Amino acid sequence: MSDKNPKAADSPPDSNQWFHELSDYLKLNDDDDDQWPPDDDNLPPPPPHPSLFVPNTGDFGASGSGGSATLLRGSSEEISGSENKNIIRERVAFKTKSEVEILDDGFRWRKYGKKMVKNSPNPRNYYRCTVDGCPVKKRVERDRDDPTYVITTYEGNHTHPASY
DNA sequence: CGCTTTTGACCGGCGC
DNA sequence: GCGCCGGTCAAAAGCG
């Protein structure tokens, strides 16, 4: 490929740290989408709603979304800005088989940015919950090896019930 | 009318 | 010190 890779695979293994590059994580487990590494340190919190990935509005039917969501990894990172305030940001990465990245998980999202990642020929979309008080952010990116797969990364907890 | 979306530019952090 | 990347915000336009 023409694109040069200034960054060879030399990234030090972050055992407990969330993978800085999502692609890195995918590369380590690109062959298994049904199984995840032993998360004995932290169990992935309740995922959004795998079943919500399908049923619903006719919009979905036309998209032909598969409906199979695979949890890549769940990590609870505690950001201690103050000694008293411990903000736990839950990160949940999902690999969903879908042709469109606009999967409706039951919440409303407003796209606030699009960026091209060097590790992927596809752009990365940044979504944020439109609900007031919902610091939840969603990152959507297409798989580099499987364009038919969409990587959805949720960050934060919804503080309000789903819109639907 | 309201809301959403799109692009660009900007900033910070980190690495070497 | 400089470069690079990622991430976010802003403004504007279009659409329902």
Side-chain angles (χ1 to χ4, degrees), chain A residues 62 80 88 97:
Chain A
S80 40
I88 312 262
K97 182 170 197 228

Side-chain angles (χ1 to χ4, degrees), chain A residues 143-163:
Chain A
D143 191 302
R144 184 199 199 289
D145 293 311
D146 286 295
T148 61
Y149 282 88
V150 179
I151 319 281
T152 311
T153 308
Y154 292 88
E155 196 169 314
N157 262 14
H158 284 286
T159 63
H160 76 94
S163 234

